[in-house]
Amino acid sequence: MTPEQFRQAGYAVVDWIADYWASLAQRPVTSQGPPGAVAAGLPAGPPAGGEPVEAVLADLDKLVAPGLTHWQHPGFFGYFPANTSGPSVLGDLVSAGLGVQGMLWSTGPACTELETVMLDWLAEAMDLPARFRSAGRGGGVIQDSASSATLVATLVAVHRAAGGRWREVGVDRRYRVYTSTEAHSSVEKAARIAGLGAEGVRLVEVDPQSRAMSPVALRAAIEADRAAGVVPALVVATVGTTSTTAIDPLPQIGPICAEHGVFLHVDAAYAGAAAVCPELRFGHAGLEYADSYCFDPHKWLLTGFDCDAFWVADSTELVEALTVLPEYLRNAASESGAVIDYRDWQVPLGRRFRALKLWFVLRWYGVEGLREHIRSGVALAARFADRVRADERFELVTPHPYGLVCFRLRGADGPNEQLLSAVNGSGRVYLTHTRVAGRYTLRLAVGAPQTAEAHVDEAWELLSRVAETVG
Amino acid sequence: MTPEQFRQAGYAVVDWIADYWASLAQRPVTSQGPPGAVAAGLPAGPPAGGEPVEAVLADLDKLVAPGLTHWQHPGFFGYFPANTSGPSVLGDLVSAGLGVQGMLWSTGPACTELETVMLDWLAEAMDLPARFRSAGRGGGVIQDSASSATLVATLVAVHRAAGGRWREVGVDRRYRVYTSTEAHSSVEKAARIAGLGAEGVRLVEVDPQSRAMSPVALRAAIEADRAAGVVPALVVATVGTTSTTAIDPLPQIGPICAEHGVFLHVDAAYAGAAAVCPELRFGHAGLEYADSYCFDPHKWLLTGFDCDAFWVADSTELVEALTVLPEYLRNAASESGAVIDYRDWQVPLGRRFRALKLWFVLRWYGVEGLREHIRSGVALAARFADRVRADERFELVTPHPYGLVCFRLRGADGPNEQLLSAVNGSGRVYLTHTRVAGRYTLRLAVGAPQTAEAHVDEAWELLSRVAETVG
């Protein structure tokens, strides 16, 4: 494809996306097709000769779009948002066009340097502790996801616990990872990948009301393990848990980690974004104790997946844990020690120029624009919670400090399951569920960029109406 | 940003990319700026208010583009290619615009199903063994990189070696990974991440001429380890090593793995793409023995990073190893067993709609177009090798079955290092180096989409001329 062919086809794809966004509210939020419906519409093998882009766009409309869950739909309230925005898409487009490989500083100096600066910009916008800024021993990097950030933190933690011998001899199965019963499943997955097994994870109990990790239980678990010859290596605390956005108390957890020399990773995948607003930084109290921290701009900060922002307080330790240096990657800049080679900050070797989308987002919206987006989500969630609170058929299950509301019909689980199924079946909105202390609970998470009062109100009206018919 | 604002800014970014591609040949291939030059040009913090896209594009020209290594430049011959193409960029653009999260089938049915079908299309285009097709127990998935594919293969191998107990109890440090001394550094990195340590990797010697793994040495290592109570868990064989594109002999390695019950992963990250051409499938002889296989469409198949195509012969085993199921991810489709949830095929939970770029590439070029691209690269490499062969100052260090030529000035290393440095300093071409049997060796890897005879000839003329001035 020549540059001129690309220009023409590129306009057509830009038009397709603009039209898609403009038409989102008219589409059903989720696909109603059965498993295999999309695959059945595709030829069994690739074409021998080439086809024009128009033919692919036609099939995009005919086969793909109807088979999607539309995460950018204003009625999408499932999971956590995975929102994107025009400037993010444009930054990613530039990245795709450049096709730069940022594994080493020398393979794309601007790719590395813009990333370092963007993570510093984010740290400033969120007022993160100074230890995470690149001016000192710390610094930030983009990972694909909070799962990968947790894995990297786990690896650095076992490296530290082993006094640096982990690289050579492997993991010691006496190492333990502590996280709450409400933590994300990626903590167990990371521990398993690192060779600790599910048995290497201690699930610390939570406060029954707040669903936040109990510091008393954490201390007790660490002390009991140490007495038994087990080695506490890592605590993963969560700011904004997946089920209910509970906030583990860092001001109490941090000192316990410090006292016992345990690596502290803070996972704020969803809720971290809120810290662009000064009044929503309460979850970060005590963050200065953390050895590493991450949040996902790709969840709630108008930046498309994948973009997890991960910071460490000591990048030297991270690089020591992960570096491998074959001859074919040696170069003068790396050997000078004056540059960052981000390949040593992550699991894969290769990496895209993902800082561009952050740059486009931060410059288009400015910090004030991002604050407005977050505040809008929090306000819409509060608006919805008010409806729930005012209706005695329903109950709020947990507080809603951010953009997620956890609620349910009072009473048994069954009607709640029916309610969720019926409401999602309407195609107008999409919510997901969790269990809180064993009880089936509905989750409404605000954050899609087009979501406005009318959509939240429609969700409530639908829930309220369907509630009459279940049970 | 409204859809209409996106449309206008989108056209401008498409224009920027088309102009960038059209201007590539006039740019220096690499940045000549010192470390910190790009960062120094950026403000210390994010803007408070928003800025127009034009301002960002202006800074892209002023600050970012001059600070890049241009991987799509026709004079880029370093590492392996990381080529992209118009249709790949457009497919990625659609993916960014949709902003779909494909972690579960239910969170984006078309995202999952198109991926399964695209991996089947690729398997057909490359004539991969039937065991990797989704019609049976096997199937394909997109990983971000061959590094991650190797890691996943390592995890499944230790899961199998442990009889399924690895998930719970962790890794056994007696497990060993076997790969050649010429294998990619990601094999050691994966073993370390999995908790086996560098000591868990046995580097098997290679044939001094072909640089391919010695099956005799592999058998001896496995048998000696078994006799010593060590457990062989995984062999990683390479088709097209990073240094020299050596091809490990699968027809001999496969039966050894089968005899000893060792998981066999085949890493064809670069060279696998050549198999779209029937006459270039020689590296895949014996691939029917493999438990898993990967190659990178993002290296040499006109598909932008990240797109590693990874297949397994038994997806049940893979899912068993990697799955974790919290309540908030439960859904009826997953429980039906009728769908694939790709989150269980990879390390992270989240995933983009990367199959779109493969779809756009396969349809725009067709299989014949991809063959033409590969054949052109092989022919250009052969043309360059002919020049080297005809000049008695130089020697070819290894065969060049694909698009990489390894060569050097006869004699000491010093002049070769000077030659590389001087040629790269010209800004007209970019080559990298390796060591082959200890000797400093230059690598010229053809594969950037715009590279034509004139660029390869220019590289040779430059090398030939500068060779007079070194030593």
Side-chain angles (χ1 to χ4, degrees):
Chain A
M1 186 183 277
T2 67
E4 288 313 309
Q5 287 173 316
F6 172 78
R7 194 188 307 269
Q8 296 312 316
Y11 293 165
V13 173
V14 165
D15 284 339
W16 191 92
I17 294 171
D19 295 342
Y20 170 77
W21 286 345
S23 72
L24 266 172
Q26 282 74 55
R27 297 174 187 257
V29 189
T30 54
S31 161
Q32 307 298 331
V38 177
L42 294 161
E51 300 176 55
V53 170
E54 296 74 42
V56 187
L57 290 178
D59 283 347
L60 191 62
D61 280 320
K62 197 178 94 186
L63 296 173
V64 173
L68 285 176
T69 300
H70 301 288
W71 283 68
Q72 310 307 315
H73 193 291
F76 183 94
F77 299 109
Y79 305 102
F80 281 136
N83 63 28
T84 190
S85 65
S88 174
V89 171
L90 297 177
D92 234 4
L93 174 55
V94 172
S95 172
L98 291 172
V100 166
Q101 182 51 259
M103 58 189 179
L104 301 169
W105 177 88
S106 69
T107 63
C111 177
T112 296
E113 296 190 16
L114 188 67
E115 185 160 329
T116 304
V117 173
M118 285 309 100
L119 276 278
D120 280 339
W121 280 19
L122 274 180
E124 184 181 316
M126 300 164 72
D127 196 28
L128 296 185
R131 64 194 323 217
F132 295 133
R133 315 291 172 100
S134 71
R137 294 171 62 87
V141 63
I142 299 174
Q143 304 282 346
D144 59 7
S145 63
S147 296
S148 294
T150 299
L151 174 58
V152 168
T154 303
L155 300 173
V156 183
V158 296
H159 168 73
R160 185 195 284 185
R165 281 177 43 79
W166 164 82
R167 281 176 53 102
E168 291 305 316
V169 304
V171 81
D172 187 324
R173 278 156 60 173
R174 292 174 309 150
Y175 298 156
R176 289 295 175 274
V177 174
Y178 303 79
T179 200
S180 93
T181 54
E182 295 285 310
H184 193 264
S185 55
S186 56
V187 180
E188 181 190 324
K189 191 164 179 176
R192 274 165 44 193
I193 291 168
L196 297 169
E199 292 177 6
V201 181
R202 291 271 188 272
L203 294 180
V204 178
E205 69 185 51
V206 295
D207 176 88
Q209 295 310 313
S210 73
R211 318 303 298 166
M213 185 192 287
S214 157
V216 173
L218 173 66
R219 175 181 289 281
I222 288 176
E223 290 180 353
D225 279 346
R226 290 190 67 170
V230 163
V231 183
L234 171 68
V235 170
V236 179
T238 311
V239 173
T241 58
T242 309
S243 274
T244 69
T245 63
I247 300 166
D248 291 344
L250 302 179
Q252 285 77 52
I253 292 169
I256 299 170
C257 294
E259 179 184 337
H260 291 281
V262 182
F263 193 102
L264 174 60
H265 173 62
V266 174
D267 174 6
Y270 161 72
V276 296
C277 302
E279 75 279 15
L280 293 172
R281 288 180 186 150
F282 43 81
H284 285 170
L287 190 56
E288 62 278 8
Y289 290 105
D291 293 289
S292 60
Y293 166 83
C294 82
F295 89 102
D296 290 339
H298 67 231
K299 283 197 166 70
W300 197 17
L301 211 60
L302 296 167
T303 308
F305 190 89
D306 51 352
C307 186
D308 168 82
F310 175 68
W311 286 270
V312 292
D314 180 358
S315 63
T316 311
E317 191 177 28
L318 169 66
V319 171
E320 271 175 18
L322 293 184
T323 195
V324 191
L325 183 56
E327 181 68 27
Y328 48 80
L329 296 180
R330 285 186 186 273
N331 67 88
S334 297
E335 277 156 33
S336 77
V339 300
I340 291 174
D341 291 327
Y342 274 129
R343 73 184 184 100
D344 293 329
W345 295 49
Q346 64 175 19
V347 169
L349 170 59
R351 56 204 326 274
R352 301 181 351 269
F353 197 166
R354 291 176 293 201
L356 283 171
K357 58 186 170 189
L358 273 178
W359 194 41
F360 274 66
V361 166
L362 286 164
R363 292 188 64 176
W364 172 265
Y365 291 104
V367 175
E368 282 305 329
L370 297 177
R371 286 178 179 157
E372 199 179 305
H373 171 66
I374 296 288
R375 285 173 182 148
S376 152
V378 172
L380 291 172
R383 180 183 177 93
F384 179 82
D386 285 344
R387 301 283 187 283
V388 175
R389 201 179 284 110
D391 189 321
E392 61 185 16
R393 296 171 299 170
F394 287 88
E395 58 181 323
L396 288 172
V397 176
T398 54
H400 51 91
Y402 304 110
L404 172 71
V405 182
C406 291
F407 65 103
R408 65 196 304 282
L409 286 167
R410 295 180 192 276
D413 286 348
N416 281 289
E417 295 186 40
Q418 293 167 36
L419 176 60
L420 180 65
S421 175
V423 163
N424 284 347
S426 74
R428 296 295 306 158
V429 298
Y430 184 66
L431 285 73
T432 55
H433 82 285
T434 188
R435 284 186 186 271
V436 179
R439 295 192 311 164
Y440 192 94
T441 299
L442 279 64
R443 297 168 74 264
L444 179 133
V446 180
Q450 294 186 18
T451 303
E453 287 186 356
H455 308 103
V456 170
D457 290 350
E458 183 182 2
W460 171 249
E461 283 150 25
L462 200 53
L463 284 158
S464 179
R465 194 166 66 241
V466 175
E468 289 304 310
T469 69
V470 299
Chain B
M1 186 182 277
T2 66
E4 288 313 308
Q5 288 174 316
F6 172 78
R7 195 188 305 270
Q8 296 312 316
Y11 293 166
V13 173
V14 165
D15 284 339
W16 190 93
I17 293 171
D19 295 343
Y20 170 77
W21 285 345
S23 72
L24 267 172
Q26 281 75 55
R27 296 174 187 256
V29 189
T30 55
S31 162
Q32 308 297 331
V38 176
L42 294 160
E51 300 176 56
V53 169
E54 296 74 43
V56 187
L57 290 178
D59 283 348
L60 191 62
D61 280 319
K62 197 179 93 186
L63 295 172
V64 173
L68 285 176
T69 299
H70 300 288
W71 283 68
Q72 310 306 317
H73 193 292
F76 183 92
F77 299 110
Y79 305 101
F80 280 135
N83 62 29
T84 189
S85 65
S88 174
V89 171
L90 297 176
D92 235 5
L93 175 55
V94 172
S95 172
L98 291 172
V100 166
Q101 183 50 260
M103 58 189 180
L104 300 169
W105 177 87
S106 69
T107 64
C111 177
T112 296
E113 295 190 16
L114 188 66
E115 185 160 331
T116 304
V117 174
M118 286 308 102
L119 275 279
D120 280 339
W121 281 19
L122 274 180
E124 184 182 317
M126 300 164 73
D127 196 27
L128 295 185
R131 64 193 324 214
F132 295 132
R133 315 291 172 99
S134 71
R137 294 171 63 87
V141 64
I142 299 174
Q143 305 281 347
D144 60 7
S145 63
S147 296
S148 294
T150 299
L151 174 58
V152 169
T154 303
L155 300 173
V156 183
V158 296
H159 168 73
R160 185 193 286 185
R165 281 177 43 79
W166 164 82
R167 280 176 54 102
E168 290 306 315
V169 304
V171 81
D172 187 325
R173 277 155 63 170
R174 291 174 308 151
Y175 297 156
R176 289 296 176 275
V177 174
Y178 303 80
T179 200
S180 93
T181 53
E182 295 286 309
H184 193 264
S185 55
S186 56
V187 180
E188 181 190 324
K189 192 164 179 176
R192 275 167 41 194
I193 291 168
L196 298 171
E199 292 177 5
V201 181
R202 291 271 187 274
L203 294 179
V204 178
E205 69 184 51
V206 296
D207 175 89
Q209 295 309 314
S210 71
R211 318 302 301 167
M213 184 191 288
S214 157
V216 173
L218 174 65
R219 175 180 290 281
I222 288 176
E223 291 180 352
D225 278 347
R226 291 191 65 170
V230 162
V231 183
L234 171 67
V235 170
V236 180
T238 312
V239 173
T241 58
T242 310
S243 273
T244 69
T245 62
I247 300 165
D248 290 344
L250 302 180
Q252 285 77 52
I253 291 169
I256 298 170
C257 294
E259 180 184 337
H260 291 281
V262 182
F263 192 102
L264 174 60
H265 173 62
V266 175
D267 173 6
Y270 161 72
V276 296
C277 303
E279 75 278 16
L280 293 172
R281 288 181 185 149
F282 43 81
H284 285 171
L287 189 57
E288 63 277 8
Y289 290 105
D291 292 289
S292 61
Y293 166 83
C294 82
F295 90 102
D296 290 338
H298 68 230
K299 283 198 166 71
W300 195 16
L301 210 61
L302 297 166
T303 309
F305 190 88
D306 51 354
C307 186
D308 169 83
F310 175 67
W311 285 270
V312 291
D314 179 358
S315 62
T316 310
E317 189 179 30
L318 168 64
V319 172
E320 272 175 17
L322 293 184
T323 195
V324 191
L325 183 56
E327 181 67 27
Y328 48 79
L329 296 180
R330 285 186 186 273
N331 67 88
S334 297
E335 278 157 32
S336 76
V339 301
I340 291 173
D341 291 327
Y342 274 129
R343 73 183 184 101
D344 292 328
W345 296 48
Q346 64 176 17
V347 169
L349 170 59
R351 57 204 326 274
R352 305 188 341 276
F353 198 167
R354 290 176 293 202
L356 283 171
K357 58 187 169 188
L358 273 178
W359 194 41
F360 274 66
V361 165
L362 285 164
R363 292 188 65 176
W364 172 265
Y365 291 104
V367 175
E368 281 305 329
L370 297 177
R371 286 178 178 157
E372 199 179 306
H373 171 66
I374 296 289
R375 285 174 181 146
S376 152
V378 172
L380 290 173
R383 180 183 176 94
F384 179 83
D386 285 345
R387 302 283 187 282
V388 176
R389 200 179 283 109
D391 187 323
E392 61 185 16
R393 295 171 299 170
F394 286 87
E395 59 182 323
L396 289 171
V397 175
T398 54
H400 50 92
Y402 303 111
L404 172 71
V405 182
C406 291
F407 66 102
R408 65 196 305 282
L409 285 167
R410 294 179 192 277
D413 286 347
N416 281 289
E417 295 186 38
Q418 293 167 37
L419 176 60
L420 180 66
S421 175
V423 162
N424 285 347
S426 75
R428 295 296 305 158
V429 298
Y430 183 67
L431 285 73
T432 56
H433 83 285
T434 188
R435 283 186 187 271
V436 180
R439 296 191 311 164
Y440 193 94
T441 298
L442 278 65
R443 298 169 74 266
L444 179 132
V446 180
Q450 294 186 18
T451 303
E453 286 187 354
H455 307 104
V456 170
D457 290 351
E458 183 182 2
W460 170 250
E461 282 150 25
L462 200 53
L463 284 158
S464 178
R465 195 166 65 241
V466 175
E468 289 304 310
T469 68
V470 299

